[in-house]
Amino acid sequence: RCPGRGGARRARWATARRAAIAAEPAQRLLRTPDAALLLGLSARTLEKHRCYGTGPVYRKLGARVVYAVEDLV
């Protein structure tokens, strides 16, 4: 990869992904990376919010952490 290349492509992909996630059915559950993308945060920031008891409501399904789309939008 060339330095400085791909940033615009990633930004377009992220915008399209956010739109696709927001258009999903109501009870759609997202894993941490997709929830972070929808919120414009890093996955690590969401992990910190969980530890501190702040941030969006999350649910644990076994070992998985998921977020409901309606809680994020």
Side-chain angles (χ1 to χ4, degrees), residues 17-18 21 28-43 46 50 56-58 65-69 71-73:
R17 184 74 178 130
R18 279 190 210 106
I21 290 170
R28 164 92 184 195
L29 299 176
L30 301 176
R31 301 284 306 269
T32 300
D34 287 330
L37 183 65
L38 182 65
L39 294 172
L41 302 172
S42 71
L46 282 180
R50 287 197 304 267
V57 176
Y58 67 94
V65 175
V66 295
Y67 297 88
V69 172
D71 293 338
L72 301 176
V73 184

Side-chain angles (χ1 to χ4, degrees), residues 47-70:
E47 292 170 9
K48 287 180 183 179
H49 280 304
R50 287 197 304 267
C51 289
Y52 297 142
T54 60
V57 176
Y58 67 94
R59 295 168 181 84
K60 294 273 295 198
L61 298 177
R64 293 182 177 159
V65 175
V66 295
Y67 297 88
V69 172
E70 65 256 10

Side-chain angles (χ1 to χ4, degrees), residues 2-17:
C2 299
R5 301 264 183 207
R9 184 178 11 194
R10 269 186 252 118
R12 283 192 306 271
W13 178 86
T15 302
R17 184 74 178 130

